Amino acid sequence: MTERWTIHDARVYTDREVAIILRAAAEAAGSSAGQAPALSGLSLEQIKAAAAEAGLDPMLVERTALRIAQRRDESLLERVVGGPRRHREVIRVPTEMSPEVSSRVLSAVRAAAEVPGDGRADAVGFAWHAWSRATKLSVTAHEDSRGSRIQILVDRTPMLVTTVLATLLVVVMAANAMVGSIDDLADLLATVLVPTVVVATARFYWKSSTRAIRDRMAALADAIRESLATGDETRDGPGPHE
């Protein structure tokens, strides 16, 4: 079956990035494949083709490439705290939207998101938005010159601000409570250790939530692709060898 949708990514990847993508995709697949010679100057489509020859699922490669792109766009603050505040994935579909397609994909998004939200669908696309744990999640689709463009966007800015402020508050309170009781080196070390543990815990929490967000986005992307594939099979009918 030919691939009918893809992340829009026109840039090229370095040899190190290609190696990271193939290795991560192989690990995700539980395979030893992907240990190909390092190649530089490849586009996403070329990397996916090389991965397919190595026995890897091109969609796993696509997801890994998306994560590398997200890390590249992280600000200094986001690198310090352990992950970005915004995540975005774009799926290109060479098919025009219709009331039936929009409604089917929107239903798949609602089921995969597992959080309540508001959505609408019409002949030119759909829009769905939800708030969960100070995080905004939205999935939108509209037609463009190449078919349709579906975007998954997660904005955790309020959650990042809350996490940073809460961490600073705990650190300041702990320091104020302990600084007056420093009598020896052990007390000094404890005064330094407590804020360090608090910051490390907050960073671990943010990194864990970042992985959870990326997993949720992958689940949404899979649900969208499956709903579109189901629609294609229903419309085209089974082939002679299927």
Side-chain angles (χ1 to χ4, degrees), residues 45-144:
E45 291 304 309
Q46 291 172 323
I47 297 173
K48 288 164 64 178
E53 293 180 358
L56 293 174
D57 182 356
M59 298 316 302
L60 287 176
V61 173
E62 189 173 272
R63 289 183 196 170
T64 307
L66 171 66
R67 293 178 180 180
I68 284 183
Q70 290 173 335
R71 294 189 184 103
R72 178 181 296 176
D73 295 336
E74 291 176 7
S75 66
L76 176 60
L77 175 61
E78 291 166 345
R79 288 196 294 270
V80 169
V81 299
R85 61 183 178 85
R86 298 178 77 248
H87 304 255
R88 183 172 70 96
E89 179 173 351
V90 175
I91 301 173
R92 299 285 186 179
V93 184
T95 304
E96 294 182 355
M97 287 285 124
S98 67
E100 188 273 333
V101 172
S102 296
S103 297
R104 184 175 68 248
V105 180
L106 178 57
S107 296
V109 167
R110 283 173 166 156
E114 298 182 344
V115 294
D118 298 321
R120 60 173 180 79
D122 53 37
V124 295
F126 67 86
W128 180 84
H129 306 279
W131 276 92
S132 175
R133 298 180 181 179
T135 298
K136 182 180 180 181
L137 173 62
S138 65
V139 185
T140 57
H142 65 271
E143 295 181 2
D144 62 14

Side-chain angles (χ1 to χ4, degrees), residues 31 79 137 152 185 193 226 241:
S31 168
R79 288 196 294 270
L137 173 62
I152 304 171
L185 180 59
L193 179 62
E226 289 174 5
H241 301 294

Side-chain angles (χ1 to χ4, degrees), residues 1-6 45 48 58-59 62 94 225:
M1 179 183 294
T2 58
E3 187 178 38
R4 303 185 183 185
W5 37 77
T6 183
E45 291 304 309
K48 288 164 64 178
M59 298 316 302
E62 189 173 272
R225 293 184 178 100

Side-chain angles (χ1 to χ4, degrees), residues 116-172:
D118 298 321
R120 60 173 180 79
D122 53 37
V124 295
F126 67 86
W128 180 84
H129 306 279
W131 276 92
S132 175
R133 298 180 181 179
T135 298
K136 182 180 180 181
L137 173 62
S138 65
V139 185
T140 57
H142 65 271
E143 295 181 2
D144 62 14
S145 59
R146 290 182 290 175
S148 298
R149 180 177 184 269
I150 303 174
Q151 176 178 271
I152 304 171
L153 179 64
V154 178
D155 189 346
R156 301 191 297 163
T157 301
M159 187 178 182
L160 176 60
V161 172
T162 301
T163 302
V164 171
L165 291 179
T167 301
L168 290 176
L169 178 61
V170 172
V171 168
V172 170

Side-chain angles (χ1 to χ4, degrees), residues 1 4 228-240 242:
M1 179 183 294
R4 303 185 183 185
L228 291 169
T230 300
D232 290 336
E233 292 170 1
T234 301
R235 181 170 58 254
D236 300 336
E242 294 181 351

